[in-house]
Amino acid sequence: MARLIVIVPLVLLVGFKLATWLMERRTAKLKTATEEAKATIARVEEATRPTIYPSEHGLVGRAELVEDPGLTGPDVDAALAALKDGDRQPAVALLDAAAGDLDRRWGLVGRFSEPAVEDDTWLLAWRAEQPDSADAALLTVHALIGLAWQVRTGQSASQVTAERWAAFRKVLGEAETAAADAVRLADPADPLPFVAQIPLAMGQSWDNERFLALWQEIVSRDPHHFSAHGRALQYWCEKWKGSHEKMHAFVDAAIAAAPKGSLLSVYKLEAYYEQFQRNRAPREAYAAPEVRAAVDAVIADLELADPDSRRTRYAHGWLVWVLARAGRPADAMPHLRALGPYVPTPWSYWGNPVDKFVDERIDIVLAATAQ
């Protein structure tokens, strides 16, 4: 009897483990078969997907497309290459030459902060040798904020680990200290040390009152700064510290006060994107009369804008996005061509922007030719 008391549970345990092993093996086989089936379907879909010859439609080829890097030019490329080799002099010279052009200077700061996020040896040396350099101080703020968001990653808040959150907050604290230094060293009329703090306000969850104080510092120096308005739109959207109503009110006021050709009108399209994405609205939402009116306003603004400005790429990108979804692919085509080799926002929000853009470009061209 005593032996049975030992043997019976042992037999049951072995039987349970065997059944579990068989079930796990079966589940693994089913998972493998499902993944293979999905891969087969994807290959078939890819093989049978309609395609286009870009050049026949005035578009650049797939191999030439790149995610929009921001400010471009041979001089910028050369300065970036020098920075990667530890030579800051070409970048310093470009920043000095852009002293009177806020838009270009801001674009240069954005590009030159990218290599500093990866390796800031050259920037630390610059700050040590010229501690009173306003440009070096501004670059430090920008680079620290870029590093903080890199540490955080682009994952949703719930997926970011506690360790990453702690590191994110630590680096943002360093950026806040650097921002105070940048403000101290800057020309009193320079808005850029304040513009640089908008992502800091988002990362540290500043309340609306504190953000409005920062915003006043910016608009008192440059009422229509393009990039500042784009960053502020993100602060005021529902996913950050505002709401659909606050976001649209902010954008509407900015557009009403802006001179024609400023292209601040494009932020109304971005505001609709933020609203529709948040609400999981259908594509048909982009065909609403108020969105159509916003599209018309951007097109009218483009006619008066500087055609060589980086802002025009931003505007063309949003027009393509909205017009395609509004059932107006033929109207989207001129703006698609105007983008040239650049893949703009909002495609840059996806993991592989170029592939996402290429797929949509095919759909737009085929729909336009079918009309």
mmCIF file of all heavy atoms in Angstrom, residues 162-212:
data_model
loop_
_atom_site.group_PDB
_atom_site.id
_atom_site.type_symbol
_atom_site.label_atom_id
_atom_site.label_comp_id
_atom_site.label_asym_id
_atom_site.label_seq_id
_atom_site.Cartn_x
_atom_site.Cartn_y
_atom_site.Cartn_z
ATOM 1 N N ALA A 162 11.606 50.723 -16.395
ATOM 2 C CA ALA A 162 11.861 51.662 -15.300
ATOM 3 C C ALA A 162 13.269 52.230 -15.390
ATOM 4 O O ALA A 162 13.503 53.414 -15.104
ATOM 5 C CB ALA A 162 11.650 50.960 -13.960
ATOM 6 N N GLU A 163 14.231 51.384 -15.794
ATOM 7 C CA GLU A 163 15.618 51.836 -15.919
ATOM 8 C C GLU A 163 15.750 52.905 -16.992
ATOM 9 O O GLU A 163 16.466 53.904 -16.810
ATOM 10 C CB GLU A 163 16.528 50.645 -16.253
ATOM 11 C CG GLU A 163 16.679 49.622 -15.143
ATOM 12 C CD GLU A 163 15.483 48.675 -15.012
ATOM 13 O OE1 GLU A 163 14.629 48.664 -15.940
ATOM 14 O OE2 GLU A 163 15.405 47.969 -13.997
ATOM 15 N N ARG A 164 15.050 52.703 -18.097
ATOM 16 C CA ARG A 164 15.106 53.693 -19.177
ATOM 17 C C ARG A 164 14.425 54.997 -18.754
ATOM 18 O O ARG A 164 14.878 56.089 -19.096
ATOM 19 C CB ARG A 164 14.484 53.135 -20.454
ATOM 20 C CG ARG A 164 15.398 52.131 -21.172
ATOM 21 C CD ARG A 164 14.876 51.782 -22.547
ATOM 22 N NE ARG A 164 15.800 50.900 -23.253
ATOM 23 C CZ ARG A 164 16.839 51.309 -23.957
ATOM 24 N NH1 ARG A 164 17.099 52.604 -24.051
ATOM 25 N NH2 ARG A 164 17.620 50.445 -24.569
ATOM 26 N N TRP A 165 13.309 54.889 -18.040
ATOM 27 C CA TRP A 165 12.639 56.098 -17.559
ATOM 28 C C TRP A 165 13.566 56.895 -16.653
ATOM 29 O O TRP A 165 13.648 58.132 -16.746
ATOM 30 C CB TRP A 165 11.349 55.748 -16.796
ATOM 31 C CG TRP A 165 10.138 55.549 -17.648
ATOM 32 C CD1 TRP A 165 9.359 54.442 -17.719
ATOM 33 C CD2 TRP A 165 9.552 56.502 -18.553
ATOM 34 N NE1 TRP A 165 8.321 54.630 -18.614
ATOM 35 C CE2 TRP A 165 8.417 55.881 -19.136
ATOM 36 C CE3 TRP A 165 9.875 57.798 -18.934
ATOM 37 C CZ2 TRP A 165 7.605 56.520 -20.076
ATOM 38 C CZ3 TRP A 165 9.069 58.441 -19.870
ATOM 39 C CH2 TRP A 165 7.952 57.804 -20.432
ATOM 40 N N ALA A 166 14.272 56.198 -15.776
ATOM 41 C CA ALA A 166 15.183 56.874 -14.850
ATOM 42 C C ALA A 166 16.306 57.581 -15.614
ATOM 43 O O ALA A 166 16.650 58.738 -15.322
ATOM 44 C CB ALA A 166 15.754 55.867 -13.854
ATOM 45 N N ALA A 167 16.878 56.884 -16.614
ATOM 46 C CA ALA A 167 17.951 57.482 -17.416
ATOM 47 C C ALA A 167 17.422 58.657 -18.240
ATOM 48 O O ALA A 167 18.105 59.688 -18.385
ATOM 49 C CB ALA A 167 18.562 56.425 -18.325
ATOM 50 N N PHE A 168 16.221 58.512 -18.768
ATOM 51 C CA PHE A 168 15.572 59.573 -19.552
ATOM 52 C C PHE A 168 15.443 60.847 -18.713
ATOM 53 O O PHE A 168 15.830 61.937 -19.136
ATOM 54 C CB PHE A 168 14.198 59.068 -19.997
ATOM 55 C CG PHE A 168 13.335 60.076 -20.704
ATOM 56 C CD1 PHE A 168 13.705 60.594 -21.934
ATOM 57 C CD2 PHE A 168 12.128 60.487 -20.156
ATOM 58 C CE1 PHE A 168 12.895 61.507 -22.612
ATOM 59 C CE2 PHE A 168 11.308 61.389 -20.822
ATOM 60 C CZ PHE A 168 11.686 61.904 -22.043
ATOM 61 N N ARG A 169 14.941 60.691 -17.498
ATOM 62 C CA ARG A 169 14.737 61.855 -16.630
ATOM 63 C C ARG A 169 16.073 62.475 -16.218
ATOM 64 O O ARG A 169 16.188 63.704 -16.098
ATOM 65 C CB ARG A 169 13.925 61.444 -15.401
ATOM 66 C CG ARG A 169 12.506 61.010 -15.730
ATOM 67 C CD ARG A 169 11.673 60.790 -14.474
ATOM 68 N NE ARG A 169 10.342 60.322 -14.821
ATOM 69 C CZ ARG A 169 9.954 59.049 -14.776
ATOM 70 N NH1 ARG A 169 10.812 58.110 -14.394
ATOM 71 N NH2 ARG A 169 8.732 58.697 -15.109
ATOM 72 N N LYS A 170 17.065 61.637 -16.000
ATOM 73 C CA LYS A 170 18.387 62.144 -15.621
ATOM 74 C C LYS A 170 18.985 63.004 -16.731
ATOM 75 O O LYS A 170 19.484 64.115 -16.480
ATOM 76 C CB LYS A 170 19.321 60.983 -15.303
ATOM 77 C CG LYS A 170 20.734 61.398 -14.881
ATOM 78 C CD LYS A 170 21.583 60.188 -14.565
ATOM 79 C CE LYS A 170 22.983 60.612 -14.079
ATOM 80 N NZ LYS A 170 23.728 61.371 -15.110
ATOM 81 N N VAL A 171 18.931 62.508 -17.958
ATOM 82 C CA VAL A 171 19.505 63.270 -19.079
ATOM 83 C C VAL A 171 18.705 64.539 -19.332
ATOM 84 O O VAL A 171 19.279 65.596 -19.646
ATOM 85 C CB VAL A 171 19.582 62.399 -20.353
ATOM 86 C CG1 VAL A 171 20.151 63.206 -21.518
ATOM 87 C CG2 VAL A 171 20.443 61.168 -20.122
ATOM 88 N N LEU A 172 17.392 64.482 -19.189
ATOM 89 C CA LEU A 172 16.583 65.696 -19.351
ATOM 90 C C LEU A 172 16.934 66.724 -18.279
ATOM 91 O O LEU A 172 16.914 67.939 -18.542
ATOM 92 C CB LEU A 172 15.094 65.368 -19.284
ATOM 93 C CG LEU A 172 14.468 64.738 -20.525
ATOM 94 C CD1 LEU A 172 12.965 64.562 -20.328
ATOM 95 C CD2 LEU A 172 14.726 65.561 -21.788
ATOM 96 N N GLY A 173 17.260 66.268 -17.077
ATOM 97 C CA GLY A 173 17.697 67.192 -16.033
ATOM 98 C C GLY A 173 18.988 67.897 -16.434
ATOM 99 O O GLY A 173 19.154 69.107 -16.200
ATOM 100 N N GLU A 174 19.893 67.151 -17.068
ATOM 101 C CA GLU A 174 21.136 67.751 -17.562
ATOM 102 C C GLU A 174 20.836 68.751 -18.677
ATOM 103 O O GLU A 174 21.472 69.814 -18.772
ATOM 104 C CB GLU A 174 22.069 66.655 -18.067
ATOM 105 C CG GLU A 174 22.568 65.716 -16.979
ATOM 106 C CD GLU A 174 23.357 64.537 -17.548
ATOM 107 O OE1 GLU A 174 23.608 64.538 -18.767
ATOM 108 O OE2 GLU A 174 23.701 63.628 -16.775
ATOM 109 N N ALA A 175 19.858 68.417 -19.513
ATOM 110 C CA ALA A 175 19.469 69.318 -20.609
ATOM 111 C C ALA A 175 18.867 70.609 -20.060
ATOM 112 O O ALA A 175 19.087 71.693 -20.611
ATOM 113 C CB ALA A 175 18.470 68.622 -21.528
ATOM 114 N N GLU A 176 18.112 70.486 -18.981
ATOM 115 C CA GLU A 176 17.518 71.683 -18.378
ATOM 116 C C GLU A 176 18.606 72.623 -17.860
ATOM 117 O O GLU A 176 18.532 73.843 -18.044
ATOM 118 C CB GLU A 176 16.580 71.264 -17.241
ATOM 119 C CG GLU A 176 15.776 72.414 -16.666
ATOM 120 C CD GLU A 176 14.724 71.945 -15.677
ATOM 121 O OE1 GLU A 176 14.842 70.818 -15.168
ATOM 122 O OE2 GLU A 176 13.781 72.713 -15.408
ATOM 123 N N THR A 177 19.628 72.072 -17.237
ATOM 124 C CA THR A 177 20.758 72.877 -16.765
ATOM 125 C C THR A 177 21.489 73.518 -17.944
ATOM 126 O O THR A 177 21.849 74.703 -17.910
ATOM 127 C CB THR A 177 21.738 71.999 -15.966
ATOM 128 O OG1 THR A 177 21.046 71.422 -14.853
ATOM 129 C CG2 THR A 177 22.919 72.806 -15.467
ATOM 130 N N ALA A 178 21.681 72.729 -18.997
ATOM 131 C CA ALA A 178 22.352 73.249 -20.195
ATOM 132 C C ALA A 178 21.530 74.351 -20.856
ATOM 133 O O ALA A 178 22.091 75.312 -21.411
ATOM 134 C CB ALA A 178 22.599 72.111 -21.181
ATOM 135 N N ALA A 179 20.199 74.236 -20.804
ATOM 136 C CA ALA A 179 19.326 75.243 -21.411
ATOM 137 C C ALA A 179 19.477 76.589 -20.701
ATOM 138 O O ALA A 179 19.497 77.649 -21.343
ATOM 139 C CB ALA A 179 17.880 74.777 -21.364
ATOM 140 N N ALA A 180 19.573 76.545 -19.397
ATOM 141 C CA ALA A 180 19.762 77.796 -18.642
ATOM 142 C C ALA A 180 21.079 78.453 -19.045
ATOM 143 O O ALA A 180 21.167 79.687 -19.172
ATOM 144 C CB ALA A 180 19.736 77.501 -17.147
ATOM 145 N N ASP A 181 22.099 77.645 -19.262
ATOM 146 C CA ASP A 181 23.397 78.161 -19.695
ATOM 147 C C ASP A 181 23.303 78.746 -21.102
ATOM 148 O O ASP A 181 23.887 79.802 -21.390
ATOM 149 C CB ASP A 181 24.430 77.032 -19.653
ATOM 150 C CG ASP A 181 25.859 77.539 -19.649
ATOM 151 O OD1 ASP A 181 26.107 78.602 -19.043
ATOM 152 O OD2 ASP A 181 26.732 76.881 -20.243
ATOM 153 N N ALA A 182 22.560 78.070 -21.990
ATOM 154 C CA ALA A 182 22.407 78.556 -23.367
ATOM 155 C C ALA A 182 21.680 79.897 -23.399
ATOM 156 O O ALA A 182 22.042 80.797 -24.180
ATOM 157 C CB ALA A 182 21.653 77.518 -24.193
ATOM 158 N N VAL A 183 20.669 80.052 -22.563
ATOM 159 C CA VAL A 183 19.936 81.320 -22.484
ATOM 160 C C VAL A 183 20.868 82.424 -21.994
ATOM 161 O O VAL A 183 20.871 83.546 -22.527
ATOM 162 C CB VAL A 183 18.721 81.193 -21.547
ATOM 163 C CG1 VAL A 183 18.116 82.559 -21.247
ATOM 164 C CG2 VAL A 183 17.668 80.278 -22.165
ATOM 165 N N ARG A 184 21.694 82.109 -21.003
ATOM 166 C CA ARG A 184 22.625 83.093 -20.437
ATOM 167 C C ARG A 184 23.633 83.581 -21.474
ATOM 168 O O ARG A 184 23.963 84.776 -21.525
ATOM 169 C CB ARG A 184 23.346 82.472 -19.242
ATOM 170 C CG ARG A 184 24.393 83.374 -18.592
ATOM 171 C CD ARG A 184 25.076 82.670 -17.425
ATOM 172 N NE ARG A 184 25.829 81.494 -17.849
ATOM 173 C CZ ARG A 184 27.073 81.551 -18.347
ATOM 174 N NH1 ARG A 184 27.677 82.723 -18.523
ATOM 175 N NH2 ARG A 184 27.701 80.439 -18.688
ATOM 176 N N LEU A 185 24.112 82.669 -22.324
ATOM 177 C CA LEU A 185 25.160 83.012 -23.283
ATOM 178 C C LEU A 185 24.628 83.612 -24.583
ATOM 179 O O LEU A 185 25.376 84.256 -25.322
ATOM 180 C CB LEU A 185 25.982 81.759 -23.618
ATOM 181 C CG LEU A 185 26.824 81.186 -22.472
ATOM 182 C CD1 LEU A 185 27.410 79.835 -22.864
ATOM 183 C CD2 LEU A 185 27.932 82.166 -22.076
ATOM 184 N N ALA A 186 23.354 83.415 -24.862
ATOM 185 C CA ALA A 186 22.785 83.848 -26.146
ATOM 186 C C ALA A 186 22.560 85.346 -26.210
ATOM 187 O O ALA A 186 22.450 86.025 -25.176
ATOM 188 C CB ALA A 186 21.467 83.123 -26.391
ATOM 189 N N ASP A 187 22.494 85.853 -27.427
ATOM 190 C CA ASP A 187 22.024 87.222 -27.649
ATOM 191 C C ASP A 187 20.626 87.331 -27.047
ATOM 192 O O ASP A 187 19.795 86.429 -27.241
ATOM 193 C CB ASP A 187 21.974 87.488 -29.160
ATOM 194 C CG ASP A 187 21.596 88.912 -29.490
ATOM 195 O OD1 ASP A 187 20.550 89.371 -29.000
ATOM 196 O OD2 ASP A 187 22.308 89.555 -30.277
ATOM 197 N N PRO A 188 20.322 88.391 -26.315
ATOM 198 C CA PRO A 188 19.002 88.512 -25.687
ATOM 199 C C PRO A 188 17.832 88.403 -26.675
ATOM 200 O O PRO A 188 16.715 88.030 -26.278
ATOM 201 C CB PRO A 188 19.042 89.905 -25.047
ATOM 202 C CG PRO A 188 20.499 90.156 -24.800
ATOM 203 C CD PRO A 188 21.216 89.498 -25.944
ATOM 204 N N ALA A 189 18.089 88.706 -27.961
ATOM 205 C CA ALA A 189 17.018 88.654 -28.962
ATOM 206 C C ALA A 189 16.895 87.274 -29.608
ATOM 207 O O ALA A 189 16.005 87.062 -30.444
ATOM 208 C CB ALA A 189 17.274 89.699 -30.046
ATOM 209 N N ASP A 190 17.739 86.328 -29.246
ATOM 210 C CA ASP A 190 17.764 85.005 -29.885
ATOM 211 C C ASP A 190 16.680 84.094 -29.282
ATOM 212 O O ASP A 190 16.732 83.784 -28.084
ATOM 213 C CB ASP A 190 19.143 84.380 -29.687
ATOM 214 C CG ASP A 190 19.320 83.078 -30.462
ATOM 215 O OD1 ASP A 190 18.356 82.655 -31.144
ATOM 216 O OD2 ASP A 190 20.413 82.491 -30.394
ATOM 217 N N PRO A 191 15.726 83.620 -30.097
ATOM 218 C CA PRO A 191 14.681 82.739 -29.558
ATOM 219 C C PRO A 191 15.099 81.277 -29.463
ATOM 220 O O PRO A 191 14.437 80.469 -28.803
ATOM 221 C CB PRO A 191 13.555 82.884 -30.590
ATOM 222 C CG PRO A 191 14.280 83.108 -31.884
ATOM 223 C CD PRO A 191 15.494 83.934 -31.527
ATOM 224 N N LEU A 192 16.194 80.893 -30.124
ATOM 225 C CA LEU A 192 16.509 79.471 -30.274
ATOM 226 C C LEU A 192 16.776 78.723 -28.971
ATOM 227 O O LEU A 192 16.370 77.562 -28.840
ATOM 228 C CB LEU A 192 17.665 79.283 -31.264
ATOM 229 C CG LEU A 192 17.397 79.813 -32.683
ATOM 230 C CD1 LEU A 192 18.525 79.401 -33.624
ATOM 231 C CD2 LEU A 192 16.061 79.327 -33.218
ATOM 232 N N PRO A 193 17.437 79.335 -27.966
ATOM 233 C CA PRO A 193 17.586 78.587 -26.714
ATOM 234 C C PRO A 193 16.246 78.257 -26.052
ATOM 235 O O PRO A 193 16.156 77.288 -25.284
ATOM 236 C CB PRO A 193 18.414 79.530 -25.835
ATOM 237 C CG PRO A 193 19.140 80.403 -26.799
ATOM 238 C CD PRO A 193 18.188 80.591 -27.939
ATOM 239 N N PHE A 194 15.234 79.038 -26.360
ATOM 240 C CA PHE A 194 13.892 78.767 -25.822
ATOM 241 C C PHE A 194 13.154 77.739 -26.688
ATOM 242 O O PHE A 194 12.468 76.858 -26.174
ATOM 243 C CB PHE A 194 13.094 80.069 -25.726
ATOM 244 C CG PHE A 194 13.721 81.087 -24.829
ATOM 245 C CD1 PHE A 194 14.495 82.122 -25.354
ATOM 246 C CD2 PHE A 194 13.570 81.011 -23.452
ATOM 247 C CE1 PHE A 194 15.096 83.060 -24.525
ATOM 248 C CE2 PHE A 194 14.159 81.945 -22.605
ATOM 249 C CZ PHE A 194 14.934 82.973 -23.148
ATOM 250 N N VAL A 195 13.325 77.850 -28.014
ATOM 251 C CA VAL A 195 12.719 76.865 -28.919
ATOM 252 C C VAL A 195 13.231 75.464 -28.581
ATOM 253 O O VAL A 195 12.472 74.490 -28.573
ATOM 254 C CB VAL A 195 13.032 77.203 -30.396
ATOM 255 C CG1 VAL A 195 12.482 76.115 -31.318
ATOM 256 C CG2 VAL A 195 12.455 78.563 -30.777
ATOM 257 N N ALA A 196 14.515 75.373 -28.276
ATOM 258 C CA ALA A 196 15.129 74.074 -27.968
ATOM 259 C C ALA A 196 14.512 73.417 -26.743
ATOM 260 O O ALA A 196 14.617 72.199 -26.565
ATOM 261 C CB ALA A 196 16.635 74.259 -27.763
ATOM 262 N N GLN A 197 13.853 74.207 -25.899
ATOM 263 C CA GLN A 197 13.307 73.659 -24.659
ATOM 264 C C GLN A 197 11.911 73.052 -24.810
ATOM 265 O O GLN A 197 11.404 72.448 -23.860
ATOM 266 C CB GLN A 197 13.264 74.749 -23.589
ATOM 267 C CG GLN A 197 14.631 75.236 -23.159
ATOM 268 C CD GLN A 197 14.550 76.330 -22.112
ATOM 269 O OE1 GLN A 197 13.996 76.141 -21.025
ATOM 270 N NE2 GLN A 197 15.100 77.485 -22.440
ATOM 271 N N ILE A 198 11.293 73.182 -25.964
ATOM 272 C CA ILE A 198 9.934 72.644 -26.112
ATOM 273 C C ILE A 198 9.897 71.131 -25.905
ATOM 274 O O ILE A 198 9.037 70.628 -25.165
ATOM 275 C CB ILE A 198 9.321 73.054 -27.468
ATOM 276 C CG1 ILE A 198 9.196 74.582 -27.554
ATOM 277 C CG2 ILE A 198 7.950 72.401 -27.642
ATOM 278 C CD1 ILE A 198 8.645 75.092 -28.870
ATOM 279 N N PRO A 199 10.822 70.335 -26.500
ATOM 280 C CA PRO A 199 10.802 68.898 -26.196
ATOM 281 C C PRO A 199 11.101 68.611 -24.728
ATOM 282 O O PRO A 199 10.640 67.606 -24.186
ATOM 283 C CB PRO A 199 11.902 68.323 -27.096
ATOM 284 C CG PRO A 199 12.123 69.343 -28.152
ATOM 285 C CD PRO A 199 11.838 70.665 -27.513
ATOM 286 N N LEU A 200 11.862 69.499 -24.080
ATOM 287 C CA LEU A 200 12.118 69.376 -22.654
ATOM 288 C C LEU A 200 10.812 69.532 -21.875
ATOM 289 O O LEU A 200 10.528 68.771 -20.941
ATOM 290 C CB LEU A 200 13.129 70.434 -22.224
ATOM 291 C CG LEU A 200 13.586 70.448 -20.757
ATOM 292 C CD1 LEU A 200 14.295 69.155 -20.413
ATOM 293 C CD2 LEU A 200 14.503 71.649 -20.517
ATOM 294 N N ALA A 201 10.000 70.505 -22.294
ATOM 295 C CA ALA A 201 8.698 70.719 -21.655
ATOM 296 C C ALA A 201 7.804 69.498 -21.798
ATOM 297 O O ALA A 201 7.071 69.120 -20.872
ATOM 298 C CB ALA A 201 8.015 71.940 -22.274
ATOM 299 N N MET A 202 7.886 68.850 -22.958
ATOM 300 C CA MET A 202 7.084 67.651 -23.185
ATOM 301 C C MET A 202 7.608 66.487 -22.350
ATOM 302 O O MET A 202 6.844 65.782 -21.682
ATOM 303 C CB MET A 202 7.090 67.305 -24.671
ATOM 304 C CG MET A 202 6.391 68.350 -25.530
ATOM 305 S SD MET A 202 6.810 68.230 -27.290
ATOM 306 C CE MET A 202 6.082 66.661 -27.709
ATOM 307 N N GLY A 203 8.922 66.292 -22.371
ATOM 308 C CA GLY A 203 9.512 65.174 -21.638
ATOM 309 C C GLY A 203 9.340 65.286 -20.140
ATOM 310 O O GLY A 203 9.199 64.271 -19.440
ATOM 311 N N GLN A 204 9.340 66.514 -19.629
ATOM 312 C CA GLN A 204 9.187 66.727 -18.187
ATOM 313 C C GLN A 204 7.740 67.034 -17.792
ATOM 314 O O GLN A 204 7.471 67.335 -16.628
ATOM 315 C CB GLN A 204 10.111 67.865 -17.732
ATOM 316 C CG GLN A 204 11.596 67.525 -17.847
ATOM 317 C CD GLN A 204 12.477 68.626 -17.303
ATOM 318 O OE1 GLN A 204 12.159 69.817 -17.399
ATOM 319 N NE2 GLN A 204 13.614 68.246 -16.730
ATOM 320 N N SER A 205 6.835 66.975 -18.767
ATOM 321 C CA SER A 205 5.395 67.194 -18.518
ATOM 322 C C SER A 205 5.120 68.537 -17.837
ATOM 323 O O SER A 205 4.425 68.611 -16.820
ATOM 324 C CB SER A 205 4.818 66.046 -17.676
ATOM 325 O OG SER A 205 4.850 64.838 -18.389
ATOM 326 N N TRP A 206 5.660 69.608 -18.411
ATOM 327 C CA TRP A 206 5.368 70.931 -17.870
ATOM 328 C C TRP A 206 3.870 71.197 -17.950
ATOM 329 O O TRP A 206 3.211 70.816 -18.931
ATOM 330 C CB TRP A 206 6.092 72.005 -18.667
ATOM 331 C CG TRP A 206 7.576 72.015 -18.517
ATOM 332 C CD1 TRP A 206 8.365 71.075 -17.895
ATOM 333 C CD2 TRP A 206 8.469 73.014 -19.022
ATOM 334 N NE1 TRP A 206 9.692 71.428 -17.981
ATOM 335 C CE2 TRP A 206 9.790 72.612 -18.659
ATOM 336 C CE3 TRP A 206 8.297 74.194 -19.736
ATOM 337 C CZ2 TRP A 206 10.903 73.373 -19.004
ATOM 338 C CZ3 TRP A 206 9.401 74.945 -20.078
ATOM 339 C CH2 TRP A 206 10.704 74.540 -19.708
ATOM 340 N N ASP A 207 3.334 71.879 -16.953
ATOM 341 C CA ASP A 207 1.923 72.245 -17.020
ATOM 342 C C ASP A 207 1.741 73.379 -18.027
ATOM 343 O O ASP A 207 2.710 74.008 -18.474
ATOM 344 C CB ASP A 207 1.368 72.601 -15.643
ATOM 345 C CG ASP A 207 2.075 73.797 -14.990
ATOM 346 O OD1 ASP A 207 2.520 74.718 -15.712
ATOM 347 O OD2 ASP A 207 2.195 73.809 -13.754
ATOM 348 N N ASN A 208 0.502 73.644 -18.392
ATOM 349 C CA ASN A 208 0.219 74.628 -19.438
ATOM 350 C C ASN A 208 0.728 76.021 -19.082
ATOM 351 O O ASN A 208 1.228 76.755 -19.951
ATOM 352 C CB ASN A 208 -1.283 74.687 -19.702
ATOM 353 C CG ASN A 208 -1.840 73.447 -20.380
ATOM 354 O OD1 ASN A 208 -3.035 73.316 -20.573
ATOM 355 N ND2 ASN A 208 -0.968 72.493 -20.735
ATOM 356 N N GLU A 209 0.641 76.388 -17.817
ATOM 357 C CA GLU A 209 1.073 77.728 -17.409
ATOM 358 C C GLU A 209 2.569 77.918 -17.617
ATOM 359 O O GLU A 209 3.017 78.948 -18.131
ATOM 360 C CB GLU A 209 0.706 77.958 -15.940
ATOM 361 C CG GLU A 209 1.010 79.367 -15.458
ATOM 362 C CD GLU A 209 0.559 79.606 -14.028
ATOM 363 O OE1 GLU A 209 -0.093 78.720 -13.444
ATOM 364 O OE2 GLU A 209 0.875 80.691 -13.484
ATOM 365 N N ARG A 210 3.338 76.904 -17.233
ATOM 366 C CA ARG A 210 4.790 76.997 -17.414
ATOM 367 C C ARG A 210 5.149 77.002 -18.898
ATOM 368 O O ARG A 210 6.051 77.746 -19.319
ATOM 369 C CB ARG A 210 5.481 75.834 -16.703
ATOM 370 C CG ARG A 210 7.006 75.935 -16.746
ATOM 371 C CD ARG A 210 7.676 74.775 -16.030
ATOM 372 N NE ARG A 210 9.128 74.891 -16.100
ATOM 373 C CZ ARG A 210 9.980 73.965 -15.691
ATOM 374 N NH1 ARG A 210 9.526 72.837 -15.145
ATOM 375 N NH2 ARG A 210 11.287 74.145 -15.815
ATOM 376 N N PHE A 211 4.447 76.204 -19.682
ATOM 377 C CA PHE A 211 4.729 76.177 -21.113
ATOM 378 C C PHE A 211 4.402 77.516 -21.763
ATOM 379 O O PHE A 211 5.141 77.998 -22.629
ATOM 380 C CB PHE A 211 3.945 75.070 -21.811
ATOM 381 C CG PHE A 211 4.265 74.970 -23.280
ATOM 382 C CD1 PHE A 211 5.402 74.315 -23.713
ATOM 383 C CD2 PHE A 211 3.447 75.574 -24.225
ATOM 384 C CE1 PHE A 211 5.721 74.256 -25.065
ATOM 385 C CE2 PHE A 211 3.752 75.521 -25.578
ATOM 386 C CZ PHE A 211 4.897 74.852 -25.997
ATOM 387 N N LEU A 212 3.300 78.135 -21.360
ATOM 388 C CA LEU A 212 2.915 79.432 -21.931
ATOM 389 C C LEU A 212 3.974 80.499 -21.638
ATOM 390 O O LEU A 212 4.198 81.394 -22.454
ATOM 391 C CB LEU A 212 1.549 79.854 -21.400
ATOM 392 C CG LEU A 212 0.351 79.106 -22.007
ATOM 393 C CD1 LEU A 212 -0.922 79.430 -21.241
ATOM 394 C CD2 LEU A 212 0.191 79.446 -23.486
#
